[in-house]
């Protein structure tokens, strides 16, 4: 009898969670049904959400896993379970291509080093000569330190503080990561909620009316 009661409790929790998400979704529609640009030729927000529902959901699912491949004078043996738990190091210069966090697609030149143990790490890294949507950046920790979500590489959306992944190889480096925040965003997308603000169409879709 105790087992049945436990299962029933979990079932009620799941139902309650779904109802809360549905309520949030309904609230979003109720407060934002009008087009962002007041134009008589603009498609209403509710219609735009329906049109882009599956493309947005597909992109949110694809955002969950990111990949990186590089080649050069580089050696990597590094893993992390978010930036709070790290182990290993990476050093050297490489050319790379990647499908990265925050929908960065492209490549560039990656040089420098980083190493970490548990929550402590040190890094000197520069990403430059980028192409596509990959963002160049420069990051330096002069001493052993603990990364925080407020650090600029995370605050600017260049890298994901909560990523779980690994990089390894010489001279060919392969890396992959899973992004917990994107999993949450994907769940929200099922209920028409854009938690990350990365939907394809947050502005009005214009109908090509004849002049």
């Amino acid at each position: 009898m105790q087992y049945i009661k436990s299962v029933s409790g979990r079932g009620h929790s799941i139902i309650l969670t779904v109802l809360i998400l549905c309520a949030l979704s309904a609230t979003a529609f109720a407060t934002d049904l009008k087009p962002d640009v007041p134009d008589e030729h603009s498609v209403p927000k509710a219609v735009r959400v329906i049109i882009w529902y599956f493309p947005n959901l597909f992109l949110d699912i694809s955002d969950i896993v990111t990949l990186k491949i590089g080649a050069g004078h580089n050696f990597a043996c590094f893993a992390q379970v978010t930036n709070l738990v790290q182990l290993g190091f990476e050093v050297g210069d490489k050319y790379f291509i990647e499908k990265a966090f925050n929908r960065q697609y492209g490549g560039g030149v990656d040089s420098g080093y980083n190493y970490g143990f548990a929550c402590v790490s040190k890094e000197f890294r520069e990403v430059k000569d980028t192409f596509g949507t990959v963002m160049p950046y420069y990051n330096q920790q002069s001493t052993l330190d603990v990364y925080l979500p407020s650090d600029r590489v995370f605050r600017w959306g260049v890298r994901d503080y909560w990523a779980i992944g690994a990089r390894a190889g010489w001279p060919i480096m392969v890396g992959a990561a899973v992004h917990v925040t994107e999993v949450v965003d994907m769940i929200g997308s099922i209920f028409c909620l854009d938690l990350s603000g990365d939907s394809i169409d947050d502005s009005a879709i214009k109908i090509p009316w004849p002049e």
Side-chain angles (χ1 to χ4, degrees), residues 35-100:
D36 299 322
V37 180
D39 190 321
E40 60 181 352
H41 293 159
S42 296
V43 178
K45 182 62 175 275
V47 176
R48 302 204 315 270
V49 170
I50 294 172
I51 291 173
W52 291 108
Y53 180 82
F54 286 106
N56 279 324
L57 181 59
F58 173 79
L59 285 174
D60 286 337
I61 292 173
S62 70
D63 289 342
I64 294 173
V65 177
T66 55
L67 301 170
K68 184 174 185 177
I69 300 175
H73 303 289
N74 180 84
F75 184 87
C77 183
F78 182 83
Q80 68 176 56
V81 181
T82 77
N83 277 264
L84 294 172
V85 182
Q86 306 178 52
L87 181 63
F89 67 94
E90 181 178 2
V91 60
D93 306 326
K94 61 182 176 292
Y95 296 96
F96 71 91
I97 56 174
E98 68 177 349
K99 171 190 172 295

Side-chain angles (χ1 to χ4, degrees), residues 1-12:
M1 295 300 292
Q2 183 62 36
Y3 172 74
I4 295 174
K5 186 182 295 185
S6 176
V7 171
S8 177
R10 288 198 296 270
H12 290 161

Side-chain angles (χ1 to χ4, degrees), residues 151-172:
D151 291 340
R152 61 182 183 178
V153 289
F154 308 116
R155 189 175 69 250
W156 293 349
V158 180
R159 287 167 25 190
D160 180 17
Y161 184 85
W162 306 105
I164 301 171
R167 303 185 296 274
W170 173 86
I172 305 296

